[in-house]
Amino acid sequence: MRIILLGPPGVGKGTQASRLASHHGVVRLGTGDMLRTAVAGGSPFELEVKSYMDSGGLVPDTIIIGIMRDRLAWPDAKDGYILDGFPRTVNQAIALDRFLSEHQQKIDYAFNLAVDEEILIDRISGRRSCPSCHRVYHITYDPPKQTGMCDCRTPLMQRKDDSLGVVRQRLQVYQREAEPLVQFYKQQGILMDINAGGAIDEVTEKLKLS
Ligand code: AP5
């Protein structure tokens, strides 16, 4: 099973990608997490990539396409994956198609998750993430067993790009890139619109049934 999750910041792509990956027995490939891990050092390249992320912009296509071509070729992705955060531009989608045809693979579904902007802000402002296992919580809707602590015993963090100003910038970038990408997958006949406004379990059920 190969699935793409599209949707704005905070809609629940990472949350649902982990659940779908377990359900289908495939890997979750989240470009946000991959990039955050990749820029943990202080080399000039890492600092450059980090600056795009911290300001709410997109990392250049050439960089992310190179990273993903490499990652998609790992043995654990041979039989399927859930893509969370990639592709984000039509150029990235074209590069993904090229990889798929080179490897005689195809995407089964592109789920387009949507909710109102005020819900996105509410979800993002309550998000807490584990820097170690990357598990994502919400202080109200999906709290950890112990406040401020991941269930793996690592202190939880708030992402630097979750400040309101940067979130607004990320939403603007999303609005600019989203429509052509949605059209790209609509034309391929694999796009499914999903109302992601319900509780986490309800959204998971919709995605499993689709
Ligand atoms: P990335 O980390 O991918 O950020 P994003 O796409 O902006 O998405 P988010 O992680 O903010 O949200 P999400 O939809 O995954 O929601 P989540 O499940 O966490 O990317 C970060 C940056 O990296 C980008 O800005 C860019 O710079 C760079 N980047 C990444 N990919 C790139 C690419 N392909 N090209 C170029 N640059 C790239 O949920 C949010 C919160 O809501 C959580 O607290 C969760 O618990 C809660 N929640 C989830 N679902 C529900 C629900 N149904 N009800 C109540 N609460 C819910």
Side-chain angles (χ1 to χ4, degrees):
M1 180 66 74
R2 294 182 186 83
I3 291 175
I4 295 172
L5 294 184
L6 303 173
V11 75
K13 300 182 297 296
T15 303
Q16 298 301 336
S18 299
R19 288 162 164 240
L20 282 182
S22 305
H23 177 69
H24 292 295
V26 295
V27 282
R28 167 197 166 213
L29 302 179
T31 41
D33 283 342
M34 287 164 64
L35 288 167
R36 278 185 286 279
T37 304
V39 301
S43 73
F45 173 74
E46 288 167 322
L47 291 175
E48 184 195 337
V49 172
K50 201 167 173 308
S51 71
Y52 292 112
M53 298 174 74
D54 287 349
S55 63
L58 289 183
V59 174
D61 283 342
T62 46
I63 295 177
I64 196 78
I65 288 169
I67 291 173
M68 285 308 283
R69 277 192 68 89
D70 182 50
R71 183 62 186 88
L72 289 167
W74 287 22
D76 66 353
K78 191 169 70 67
D79 296 325
Y81 39 75
I82 312 293
L83 293 182
D84 152 24
F86 181 87
R88 257 185 230 238
T89 64
V90 170
N91 274 344
Q92 293 179 17
I94 291 168
L96 175 61
D97 268 7
R98 196 170 305 132
F99 178 93
L100 291 165
S101 68
E102 285 166 13
H103 293 79
Q104 292 84 46
Q105 296 174 356
K106 69 175 185 61
I107 298 293
D108 297 285
Y109 300 103
F111 291 126
N112 184 30
L113 278 58
V115 294
D116 290 343
E117 191 168 312
E118 67 200 59
I119 298 179
L120 297 175
I121 304 284
D122 180 44
R123 288 183 183 178
I124 289 175
S125 55
R127 170 164 52 195
R128 299 292 181 274
S129 312
C130 176
S132 173
C133 72
H134 301 299
R135 167 90 162 79
V136 169
Y137 298 88
H138 190 281
I139 52 174
T140 308
Y141 308 123
D142 187 18
K145 290 187 181 117
Q146 186 186 336
T147 305
M149 191 67 82
C150 180
D151 295 350
C152 81
R153 309 300 306 152
T154 307
L156 292 172
M157 291 176 28
Q158 226 176 333
R159 274 170 46 180
K160 197 171 174 189
D161 62 347
D162 277 354
S163 66
L164 200 55
V166 179
V167 168
R168 296 244 177 254
Q169 171 64 16
R170 286 162 60 201
L171 285 170
Q172 269 183 23
V173 169
Y174 170 76
Q175 276 148 14
R176 189 183 68 215
E177 302 292 346
E179 193 48 33
L181 199 53
V182 164
Q183 288 308 323
F184 185 90
Y185 287 113
K186 209 174 250 179
Q187 277 164 17
Q188 294 195 359
I190 57 170
L191 187 90
M192 295 195 68
D193 287 312
I194 303 287
N195 176 350
I200 295 176
D201 286 345
E202 289 169 24
V203 179
T204 307
E205 284 314 304
K206 280 187 205 172
L207 292 169
K208 282 186 192 169
L209 292 174
S210 296

